[in-house]
């Protein structure tokens, strides 16, 4: 959504924190244009910000770093602890890794690099607000409980999501059979760690086959949850998920293609946002369709793993998709989220088999390939037949090695839990495509 009202009719409450009066005023003026955003307070110091946040309970806090009395990092820590529903966005002059690290550890959810364009400002506010929905729901339930119930809930958290980092990663290919499910199941498996909760959701609603790939027999599926999406409860959710012997949690697709008609894209989006509150990574397998569901999933995704094969039809379809990504900037810049992957690569010496060289694909699409997964018929097929992800069996041989490396690339790209980090390897001015209105400058 852009400058209209929100579907829930609520406004996003924003608190502006900066010690420079002009900056505060510029931000306030810019936000005044947006019907779904309301500035509920402005503060000139970190200490003032903490006091004001307790009072006005903002949804989003725009936080400067260098300020007198209490710096932005310390204030972020205090606000994140006291007002759990407030998502802090750090504003700094440069995306300095050291500052960002400290900000992440303090609980910041995103950052903006000055000068900030109006589009970046609006998009970031809406993104962090949407991603905080599970926390708002949890707090709303807590506040409707008695004190005794709250204490009990803190110990056992019945029906409550335990907070997770909630990185949503969507796997997509515009080409059928490109290897999306193979990559989704393997990356999900490789991301699992004792301290990392991973959920794999099959959003290929008509012909989803994650259950086949993982040899799962599910009695329940996503439609059991989307039916009651307004009244979700983690206990019910847990009973619908299936657990692979490796411990990976899976939400399967409807068992029959026609049942997909009962699942609305909006409900899937609400469900995924809710689940993001309880898992560190949510991996989503999709169909090749570019429809309302895929678009909604792209919007809420933190990263889109775009899968292409080294063949002319696949490269052509990928080109079409990248063109679409380049034009969609609201509510999120899709193009920036893309992690481009080639599946079924072959040794350059064997290229006679009609494959397009990787360098030509990169040149043509003007995209760097972040992972190359080799063609290995036997290994991949055996793994599918056994229902065990390749990476769970061997990690040091192709293509398991490359799949595990892709998982690590994703882990690094999204940063430590709790923070949605943009790709800082690309300078902000190259990342932006919308008209930049340099409203802020100067110090951080
Ligand atoms: N790197 C690879 N090497 C060899 N075989 C592969 C590789 N990747 C995928 N395959 C095989 O290709 C087939 C299609 O893969 P997969 O089902 O993952 O593709 P998909 O993009 O999810 O397809 P769909 O469009 O049907 O959802 C499977 O049989 C899988 O085992
Ligand atoms: Mg598939």
């Amino acid at each position: 959504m852009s400058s209209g009202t929100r579907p829930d009719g609520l406004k996003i409450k924003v608190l502006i924190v900066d010690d420079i009066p002009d900056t505060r005023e510029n931000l306030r003026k810019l936000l005044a244009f947006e019907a779904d955003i309301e500035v509920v307070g402005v503060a000139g110091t970190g200490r003032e910000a903490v006091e004001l946040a307790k009072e006005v309970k903002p949804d989003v806090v725009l936080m400067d770093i260098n300020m007198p009395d209490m710096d932005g990092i310390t204030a972020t820590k205090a606000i994140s602890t006291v007002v759990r529903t407030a998502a802090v966005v750090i504003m700094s002059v440069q995306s300095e890794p050291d500052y960002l690290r400290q900000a992440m550890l303090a609980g910041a959810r995103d950052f903006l690099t000055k000068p900030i364009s109006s589009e970046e400002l609006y998009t970031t506010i809406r993104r962090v607000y949407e991603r905080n929905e599970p926390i708002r729901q949890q707090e709303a339930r807590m506040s409707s409980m008695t004190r005794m119930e709250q204490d009990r809930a803190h110990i056992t958290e019945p029906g409550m999501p335990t907070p997770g980092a909630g990185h949503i990663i969507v796997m997509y290919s515009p080409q059928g059979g490109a290897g999306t499910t193979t990559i989704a199941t393997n990356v999900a498996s490789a991301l699992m760690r004792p301290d990392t909760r991973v959920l794999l959701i099959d959003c290929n609603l008509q012909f989803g086959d994650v259950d086949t790939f993982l040899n799962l027999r599910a009695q329940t599926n996503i439609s059991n949850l989307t039916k009651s999406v307004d009244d979700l409860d983690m206990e019910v959710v847990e009973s619908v998920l299936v657990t692979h012997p490796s411990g990976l949690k899976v939400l399967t697709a409807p068992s029959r293609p026609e049942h997909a008609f009962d699942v609305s894209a909006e409900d899937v989006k609400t469900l995924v946002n809710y689940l993001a509150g309880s898992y560190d990574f949510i991996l989503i397998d999709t169909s090749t369709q570019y429809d309302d569901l895929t678009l909604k999933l792209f919007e809420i995704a933190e990263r889109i793993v775009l899968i292409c094969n080294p063949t002319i039809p696949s490269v052509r379809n990928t080109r079409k998709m990248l063109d679409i990504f380049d034009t969609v900037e609201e509510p999120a810049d899709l193009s920036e989220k893309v992690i481009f992957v080639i599946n079924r690569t072959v040794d350059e010496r064997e290229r006679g088999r009609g494959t397009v060289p990787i360098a030509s694909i990169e040149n043509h699409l003007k995209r760097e390939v972040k992972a190359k997964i080799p063609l290995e018929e036997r290994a991949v097929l055996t793994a599918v037949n056994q229902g065990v992800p390749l990476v769970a069996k061997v990690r040091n041989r192709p293509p398991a090695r490359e799949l595990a490396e892709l998982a690590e690339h994703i882990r690094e790209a999204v940063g430590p839990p709790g923070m949605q980090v943009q790709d800082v390897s690309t300078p902000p001015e190259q990342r932006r495509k919308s008209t930049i209105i340099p409203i802020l400058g100067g110090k951080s």
Side-chain angles (χ1 to χ4, degrees):
M1 63 166 289
S2 62
S3 58
T5 48
R6 301 193 60 74
D8 53 15
L10 298 173
K11 289 190 178 204
I12 306 175
K13 293 185 284 173
V14 176
L15 171 64
I16 299 168
V17 188
D18 202 302
D19 61 335
I20 300 181
D22 278 356
T23 307
R24 294 199 296 267
E25 193 47 26
N26 282 339
L27 281 167
R28 209 184 51 73
K29 276 189 194 146
L30 267 182
L31 295 177
F33 291 124
E34 300 303 286
D36 59 331
I37 297 175
E38 183 187 5
V39 176
V40 289
V42 282
T45 74
R47 208 174 294 280
E48 217 179 292
V50 178
E51 286 314 309
L52 205 53
K54 283 190 220 162
E55 201 183 303
V56 299
K57 303 234 175 339
D59 298 309
V60 178
V61 182
L62 299 175
M63 179 74 78
D64 184 28
I65 290 188
N66 292 329
M67 286 179 295
D69 85 359
M70 186 192 277
D71 65 60
I73 308 271
T74 313
T76 298
K77 204 169 186 174
I79 293 175
S80 305
T81 314
V82 187
V83 190
R84 283 191 63 231
T85 48
V88 179
V89 176
I90 291 285
M91 305 181 289
S92 69
V93 170
Q94 291 152 339
S95 34
E96 282 184 58
D98 219 48
Y99 270 155
L100 291 180
R101 216 184 120 66
Q102 286 179 38
M104 286 174 217
L105 294 172
R109 304 299 302 267
D110 212 328
F111 69 92
L112 285 162
T113 308
K114 294 177 181 178
I116 303 165
S117 77
S118 55
E119 284 312 309
E120 265 186 314
L121 179 67
Y122 304 148
T123 309
T124 306
I125 289 175
R126 291 185 181 114
R127 183 172 58 223
V128 294
Y129 176 81
E130 292 226 336
R131 297 187 66 88
N132 248 15
E133 177 63 20
I135 297 177
R136 280 195 297 281
Q137 284 182 6
Q138 189 179 353
E139 285 294 297
R141 278 188 215 163
M142 291 292 277
S143 63
S144 65
M145 289 178 178
T146 62
R147 186 59 202 267
M148 208 199 280
E149 282 172 332
Q150 280 186 24
D151 287 345
R152 224 181 309 133
H154 272 304
I155 302 163
T156 56
E157 302 233 328
M160 295 275 183
T162 33
H167 301 298
I168 300 169
I169 315 292
V170 170
M171 306 286 177
Y172 177 78
S173 176
Q175 181 79 17
T180 311
T181 307
T182 304
I183 294 176
T185 46
N186 278 285
V187 168
S189 174
L191 282 170
M192 277 203 313
R193 280 185 184 170
D195 61 346
T196 309
R197 285 160 298 167
V198 182
L199 171 64
L200 174 60
I201 305 181
D202 195 343
C203 281
N204 185 347
L205 296 181
Q206 290 207 324
F207 296 102
D209 49 7
V210 166
D211 55 346
T212 310
F213 270 66
L214 297 176
N215 198 18
L216 299 169
R217 258 167 282 283
Q219 306 296 325
T220 44
N221 61 66
I222 192 166
S223 66
N224 299 97
L225 294 179
T226 46
K227 266 182 216 145
S228 51
V229 82
D230 294 325
D231 192 24
L232 286 170
D233 179 301
M234 275 314 280
E235 267 178 329
V236 176
V237 169
E238 291 288 343
S239 70
V240 172
L241 302 183
V242 199
T243 310
H244 183 261
S246 64
L248 176 68
K249 295 279 181 186
V250 181
L251 182 55
T252 56
S255 52
R256 297 191 53 83
E258 65 272 25
H259 294 172
F261 298 122
D262 303 333
V263 181
S264 90
E266 189 59 39
D267 288 346
V268 174
K269 179 180 163 182
T270 310
L271 174 66
V272 174
N273 271 330
Y274 175 83
L275 294 172
S278 289
Y279 287 87
D280 296 305
F281 281 96
I282 299 214
L283 274 281
I284 301 181
D285 188 17
T286 58
S287 74
T288 54
Q289 295 294 321
Y290 174 58
D291 56 13
D292 192 26
L293 174 61
T294 17
L295 186 58
K296 284 200 161 66
L297 292 173
F298 290 157
E299 282 170 10
I300 59 170
E302 197 173 332
R303 287 290 185 278
I304 302 165
V305 176
L306 181 63
I307 299 150
C308 175
N309 284 176
T311 62
I312 289 170
S314 187
V315 174
R316 281 202 177 135
N317 284 346
T318 305
R319 169 77 274 153
K320 289 177 195 162
M321 224 41 233
L322 284 170
D323 287 346
I324 292 175
F325 287 171
D326 280 339
T327 54
V328 178
E329 289 175 1
E330 282 289 331
D333 189 330
L334 300 186
S335 168
E336 268 185 18
K337 300 181 181 181
V338 171
I339 294 178
F340 185 41
V341 173
I342 307 275
N343 186 32
R344 293 201 180 86
T345 58
V346 291
D347 195 302
E348 291 287 303
R349 285 162 299 185
E350 293 180 42
R351 255 199 290 114
R353 298 164 29 168
T355 57
V356 185
I358 305 293
S360 311
I361 299 176
E362 286 184 319
N363 252 336
H364 178 66
L365 299 180
K366 301 194 177 39
R367 277 270 165 187
E368 190 192 342
V369 175
K370 297 288 184 189
K372 299 166 201 157
I373 320 288
L375 175 83
E376 288 287 341
E377 298 284 4
R378 230 171 105 184
V380 176
L381 258 183
T382 313
V384 179
N385 288 337
Q386 293 174 350
V388 181
L390 263 164
V391 294
K393 300 200 314 177
V394 283
R395 279 217 185 190
N396 55 355
R397 283 210 299 272
R401 188 180 56 209
E402 289 77 5
L403 287 160
E405 281 168 4
L406 171 59
E408 289 321 303
H409 175 81
I410 293 170
R411 203 192 300 276
E412 276 169 30
V414 297
M419 171 103 178
Q420 280 69 60
V421 179
Q422 297 171 27
D423 186 358
V424 287
S425 61
T426 319
E429 49 288 354
Q430 279 176 31
R431 283 197 252 119
R432 270 181 245 128
K433 291 192 313 301
S434 57
T435 324
I436 300 166
I437 311 163
I439 55 154
L440 299 169
K443 60 168 269 306
S444 75

